[in-house]
Amino acid sequence: MSALSGVGVGRGIAAAKVLRMPEPLAPPGDAPLSAPVEEEQARVQAALGDVAAELLARAASAGGEAQQVLEAAALMAQDPAILDDVRARMDAGANAERATWDAYGGFRDLLLSMGGYMAERATDLDDVAQRVVARLRGVPAPGVPASEEPFILVARDLAPADTATLDLEKTLALVTQDGGPTSHTAILARSKSLPAVVGVTGLLDAVRDGQRAIVDARTGSIELDPSDDAIAAARAEREERLAAASAPITDGALADGTKVPLLANLGSPKEAANAVALGAEGVGLFRTEFLFLDAASAPTVEQQTAAYTELLQAFPGKKVVVRALDAGADKPLAFLNDAHEENPALGLRGIRALRASEQILRDQLTALAHAQGATEAELWVMAPMIADVEETEYFVALGRELGLRTVGAMAEVPSIAVLADQVLEAADFVSIGTNDLTQYTMAADRQLGSVSSFQDPWHPAVLRLVKLLGEAGAASGKPVGVCGEAAADPALAVVLVGLGVTSLSMSPSALADVRAELLTVTLEEARARAARAIAARSAAEARERAAG
């Protein structure tokens, strides 16, 4: 038996045979055009339309976060700039396949150079290019292999179109060589409650088709060629966890009765009903970008008010935390800031971009205030990427001016933790975005597989920053929540509560596991686990100490 390790997603475990994703299509050759250029250009346009239609059809059947990801991929197939690039290359003599391949490759390199959110789209572009070239060749696009029995899917990485429509009766777990805990593979695996391990160095050289394996998302480990007894134990544990997930839904609490509200991270009002059904006690992070990212101009106050009202109406009497527009250089918007920056993750984004275009921020906060007045939800509003008390005071004052009752700050930059006592003098609350907080603390791009081992919220440096925020919250009597996906890790959720976090927000599919784990410890025990974790010298040691 041998073992591999990566970054685990979720708490599940699976034991089955491995199936590997087929290798991608080979790059096209440089053969000359086989028909008049106008005919070939029309053929490319038709292929792009067919691929877009296929992706939209998959989106409609997928729903939730998967639907949003697939719809974004369909837009990439319909992008007029890419079609113009393909036509120009064909006018210069390239054949249809080569022109398409190189056009998408050029856009892919551009996105990678921008980093952050835009770099996340690079894998999506690769998938769209593969599908269009396959259509031009008249062959099936590479995809998830068919199987008559359950399997563990192994791949270099997975495209959104593949992950979003997996057969969950057959696919028991995902393992990828590339990607990190916030990649699309991780996001979609989490949304489907599917155990996954990503960023596994050497995976494709070590694993073969048909090989037996055990994937444990809690430890981020993959055991190859396990014994029959180990297989049986893993399968029994999986059945036990599935049974526990179907237990009656209760509010989040520790074993001693300490309340820990469990909230949902949402990206659209359409996701509210599912969150409520899974037991969300409110919303800890509502991402408003869906209104802005595909728009040619900023949405009006009326358009925004309608969307926010729809969301708030789904949670009468419950807390709903809305994040102001989180965009800027890494998610360029022509009407906000689309200037090129060498390092967009450290550029004009979040609250910085909003201050530079204050009318957009004023309109958004005005719309939120209108929705607040029209519904019975308890609206909280926070600004992204707050660095210090001056930024906090600016945002809180503007929110109060425009009629918002509860205004806070998002903790994603390490400086806010160092200055937490000052920030909480001005803010009504703080919510910790652990994805970015980890990225900035460890100087590790959260989308870069080569540094994924650093992108781990269990690292003691990250936990100590959370502790600073938790202590400042307790001293000021103000709430400090976590809305990063670290909250979806049940073992880490216990540690976060022990560090002073007062609420946890996550993908709705993770609520059951976290709820069950919290009920196994008292507040004293959670604090003891937290103390052991922050005394560790590495993320792996922190996990071990917390479990010990």
Side-chain angles (χ1 to χ4, degrees):
M1 184 179 70
S2 59
L4 300 169
S5 63
V7 178
V9 179
R11 290 282 283 170
I13 190 169
K17 289 183 178 179
V18 164
L19 279 187
R20 292 175 52 133
M21 282 282 287
E23 289 300 311
L25 298 175
D30 294 318
L33 286 164
S34 57
V37 65
E38 294 82 3
E39 293 181 16
E40 289 292 275
Q41 288 174 343
R43 197 162 68 89
V44 171
Q45 186 168 359
L48 288 166
D50 290 343
V51 168
E54 177 191 358
L55 291 170
L56 288 172
R58 291 192 177 200
S61 62
E65 289 180 274
Q67 180 172 354
Q68 296 174 39
V69 171
L70 288 167
E71 287 174 346
L75 287 173
M76 293 176 179
Q78 296 171 313
D79 190 330
I82 290 182
L83 180 57
D84 288 344
D85 192 349
V86 173
R87 285 172 171 161
R89 293 173 187 273
M90 294 177 72
D91 286 336
N95 63 55
E97 292 178 22
R98 188 78 211 186
T100 301
W101 187 278
D102 289 346
Y104 274 100
F107 275 85
R108 178 185 188 277
D109 292 343
L110 175 63
L111 295 187
L112 286 173
S113 71
M114 297 172 72
Y117 176 86
M118 299 309 293
E120 297 175 29
R121 310 281 79 78
T123 300
D124 307 5
L125 273 177
D126 285 341
D127 178 57
V128 173
Q130 290 272 319
R131 292 177 183 279
V132 176
V133 170
R135 183 80 58 168
L136 291 170
R137 290 182 184 177
V139 300
V144 179
S147 175
E148 293 299 318
E149 59 181 316
F151 63 91
I152 293 166
L153 184 60
V154 167
R156 182 174 302 280
D157 203 355
L158 287 168
D162 294 323
T163 317
T165 53
L166 289 171
D167 180 353
L168 298 183
E169 294 296 318
K170 297 290 178 61
T171 311
L172 302 186
L174 306 177
V175 186
T176 65
Q177 182 164 294
D178 295 340
T182 57
S183 65
H184 271 157
T185 298
I187 291 170
L188 295 175
R190 195 176 286 116
S191 74
K192 293 177 176 291
S193 300
L194 194 62
V197 180
V198 299
V200 182
T201 303
L203 173 69
L204 298 182
D205 291 333
V207 178
R208 64 182 185 275
D209 257 346
Q211 188 172 15
R212 294 202 310 179
I214 295 174
V215 174
D216 190 340
R218 295 167 304 175
T219 60
S221 65
I222 303 98
E223 292 184 20
L224 302 177
D225 302 313
S227 67
D228 289 343
D229 287 346
I231 289 278
R235 288 175 174 168
E237 182 177 343
R238 179 174 184 270
E239 291 303 315
E240 185 178 311
R241 293 186 63 79
L242 291 174
S246 62
I249 294 173
T250 59
D251 287 348
L254 303 181
D256 57 11
T258 302
K259 298 295 183 183
V260 184
L262 298 181
L263 313 170
N265 292 345
L266 303 180
S268 164
K270 297 177 182 177
E271 300 171 12
N274 180 58
V276 172
L278 291 173
E281 299 171 52
V283 178
L285 170 63
F286 181 68
R287 308 177 186 93
T288 57
E289 290 74 48
F290 78 103
L291 284 167
F292 294 83
L293 290 181
D294 297 327
S297 60
T300 65
V301 171
E302 292 73 23
Q303 289 171 327
Q304 293 187 66
T305 299
Y308 304 146
T309 300
E310 180 184 354
L311 169 73
L312 296 180
Q313 286 175 336
F315 296 95
K318 295 182 178 180
K319 179 170 75 173
V320 176
V321 184
V322 174
R323 182 179 67 191
L325 174 63
D326 185 15
D330 67 332
K331 303 177 211 173
L333 299 174
F335 51 85
L336 184 67
N337 173 40
D338 62 352
H340 174 72
E341 295 178 353
E342 292 299 326
N343 193 344
L346 303 180
L348 196 65
R349 57 171 296 196
I351 188 62
R352 303 169 184 177
L354 293 172
R355 290 186 80 169
S357 301
E358 189 179 280
Q359 190 57 51
I360 290 175
L361 176 58
R362 283 182 169 273
D363 287 349
Q364 182 172 35
L365 298 185
T366 298
L368 285 164
H370 290 169
Q372 172 186 264
T375 63
E376 297 177 2
E378 183 185 340
L379 175 65
W380 296 21
V381 181
M382 61 184 178
M385 206 174 172
I386 291 289
D388 57 26
V389 68
E390 189 277 330
E391 289 185 335
T392 306
E393 289 173 341
Y394 163 80
F395 184 72
V396 171
L398 187 60
R400 298 257 194 273
E401 174 192 333
L402 297 173
L404 296 172
R405 291 190 286 267
T406 307
V407 189
M410 215 171 163
E412 301 163 285
V413 181
S415 59
I416 194 175
V418 178
L419 302 171
D421 57 335
Q422 297 178 2
V423 168
L424 279 161
E425 287 178 3
D428 294 323
F429 70 97
V430 165
S431 184
I432 306 171
T434 50
N435 298 346
D436 268 335
L437 182 62
T438 304
Q439 171 176 242
Y440 291 126
T441 301
M442 303 306 297
D445 188 331
R446 70 190 203 188
Q447 296 301 320
L448 194 58
S450 60
V451 293
S452 63
S453 61
F454 293 95
Q455 179 51 230
D456 193 330
W458 276 95
H459 197 283
V462 179
L463 297 181
R464 291 186 184 202
L465 293 176
V466 174
K467 184 172 186 286
L468 290 175
L469 289 157
E471 288 174 341
S476 64
K478 293 179 179 179
V480 173
V482 167
C483 62
E485 282 303 320
D489 178 340
L492 184 49
V494 169
V495 169
L496 294 173
V497 172
L499 293 173
V501 167
T502 56
S503 66
L504 299 165
S505 188
M506 64 206 72
S507 296
S509 59
L511 290 166
D513 279 350
V514 173
R515 185 181 295 113
E517 188 75 13
L518 292 180
L519 284 170
T520 67
V521 297
T522 63
L523 182 57
E524 182 180 350
E525 289 167 342
R527 287 171 174 165
R529 292 190 189 186
R532 294 196 298 269
I534 63 171
R537 298 190 177 191
S538 67
E541 186 181 334
R543 283 188 177 88
E544 293 171 4
R545 281 173 171 259

